[in-house]
Short mmCIF file of all heavy atoms in Angstrom, two decimals:
data_model
loop_
_atom_site.label_atom_id
_atom_site.label_comp_id
_atom_site.label_asym_id
_atom_site.label_seq_id
_atom_site.Cartn_x
_atom_site.Cartn_y
_atom_site.Cartn_z
N GLY V 201 21.66 18.78 -13.78
CA GLY V 201 22.54 19.69 -13.05
C GLY V 201 21.89 20.40 -11.89
O GLY V 201 22.57 20.82 -10.95
N THR V 202 20.57 20.54 -11.92
CA THR V 202 19.84 21.13 -10.81
C THR V 202 18.52 20.40 -10.64
O THR V 202 18.02 19.76 -11.57
CB THR V 202 19.54 22.63 -11.03
OG1 THR V 202 18.75 22.79 -12.21
CG2 THR V 202 20.82 23.45 -11.11
N LEU V 203 17.95 20.50 -9.45
CA LEU V 203 16.64 19.94 -9.16
C LEU V 203 15.77 21.05 -8.60
O LEU V 203 16.14 21.71 -7.62
CB LEU V 203 16.74 18.80 -8.14
CG LEU V 203 15.40 18.22 -7.67
CD1 LEU V 203 14.73 17.45 -8.80
CD2 LEU V 203 15.58 17.34 -6.45
N THR V 204 14.62 21.28 -9.21
CA THR V 204 13.68 22.30 -8.73
C THR V 204 12.49 21.62 -8.08
O THR V 204 11.86 20.74 -8.67
CB THR V 204 13.21 23.22 -9.86
OG1 THR V 204 14.33 23.95 -10.36
CG2 THR V 204 12.16 24.20 -9.36
N ILE V 205 12.21 22.02 -6.85
CA ILE V 205 11.09 21.51 -6.06
C ILE V 205 10.03 22.60 -6.01
O ILE V 205 10.32 23.73 -5.59
CB ILE V 205 11.55 21.14 -4.64
CG1 ILE V 205 12.69 20.10 -4.72
CG2 ILE V 205 10.40 20.60 -3.81
CD1 ILE V 205 13.38 19.86 -3.39
N THR V 206 8.83 22.28 -6.44
CA THR V 206 7.76 23.27 -6.51
C THR V 206 6.63 22.89 -5.57
O THR V 206 6.17 21.74 -5.56
CB THR V 206 7.20 23.37 -7.94
OG1 THR V 206 8.25 23.76 -8.83
CG2 THR V 206 6.08 24.41 -8.02
N GLY V 207 6.18 23.85 -4.76
CA GLY V 207 5.06 23.63 -3.86
C GLY V 207 3.93 24.59 -4.17
O GLY V 207 4.15 25.80 -4.26
N LYS V 208 2.73 24.05 -4.36
CA LYS V 208 1.57 24.88 -4.66
C LYS V 208 0.52 24.72 -3.56
O LYS V 208 0.17 23.60 -3.18
CB LYS V 208 0.97 24.52 -6.01
CG LYS V 208 1.89 24.85 -7.19
CD LYS V 208 1.21 24.58 -8.53
CE LYS V 208 2.11 24.98 -9.68
NZ LYS V 208 1.46 24.78 -11.01
N ALA V 209 0.05 25.85 -3.08
CA ALA V 209 -1.02 25.86 -2.08
C ALA V 209 -2.01 26.94 -2.49
O ALA V 209 -1.69 28.14 -2.42
CB ALA V 209 -0.47 26.14 -0.69
N GLY V 210 -3.17 26.53 -2.99
CA GLY V 210 -4.12 27.50 -3.52
C GLY V 210 -3.55 28.20 -4.73
O GLY V 210 -3.08 27.57 -5.67
N GLN V 211 -3.52 29.53 -4.69
CA GLN V 211 -2.98 30.32 -5.80
C GLN V 211 -1.50 30.65 -5.59
O GLN V 211 -0.92 31.37 -6.40
CB GLN V 211 -3.78 31.61 -5.95
CG GLN V 211 -5.25 31.40 -6.23
CD GLN V 211 -5.48 30.62 -7.52
OE1 GLN V 211 -4.90 30.91 -8.55
NE2 GLN V 211 -6.34 29.59 -7.44
N THR V 212 -0.91 30.12 -4.54
CA THR V 212 0.49 30.44 -4.21
C THR V 212 1.43 29.35 -4.69
O THR V 212 1.18 28.16 -4.45
CB THR V 212 0.66 30.64 -2.69
OG1 THR V 212 -0.21 31.68 -2.25
CG2 THR V 212 2.10 31.01 -2.36
N THR V 213 2.49 29.74 -5.37
CA THR V 213 3.51 28.81 -5.84
C THR V 213 4.85 29.17 -5.22
O THR V 213 5.26 30.34 -5.23
CB THR V 213 3.63 28.84 -7.38
OG1 THR V 213 2.38 28.46 -7.97
CG2 THR V 213 4.72 27.89 -7.85
N ARG V 214 5.52 28.16 -4.67
CA ARG V 214 6.83 28.36 -4.06
C ARG V 214 7.82 27.39 -4.72
O ARG V 214 7.44 26.28 -5.11
CB ARG V 214 6.77 28.11 -2.56
CG ARG V 214 5.71 28.94 -1.84
CD ARG V 214 5.64 28.62 -0.36
NE ARG V 214 4.68 29.47 0.33
CZ ARG V 214 3.43 29.14 0.62
NH1 ARG V 214 2.99 27.95 0.28
NH2 ARG V 214 2.63 29.97 1.24
N THR V 215 9.08 27.80 -4.85
CA THR V 215 10.08 26.93 -5.49
C THR V 215 11.38 26.94 -4.72
O THR V 215 11.75 27.94 -4.08
CB THR V 215 10.36 27.37 -6.94
OG1 THR V 215 10.90 28.70 -6.94
CG2 THR V 215 9.11 27.32 -7.80
N LEU V 216 12.06 25.82 -4.80
CA LEU V 216 13.40 25.66 -4.25
C LEU V 216 14.23 24.91 -5.29
O LEU V 216 13.82 23.84 -5.74
CB LEU V 216 13.36 24.86 -2.94
CG LEU V 216 14.70 24.34 -2.41
CD1 LEU V 216 15.57 25.51 -1.93
CD2 LEU V 216 14.48 23.33 -1.27
#
Side-chain angles (χ1 to χ4, degrees):
T202 60
L203 175 70
T204 296
I205 303 169
T206 300
K208 293 185 177 182
Q211 300 300 313
T212 302
T213 299
R214 305 177 177 97
T215 62
L216 167 69

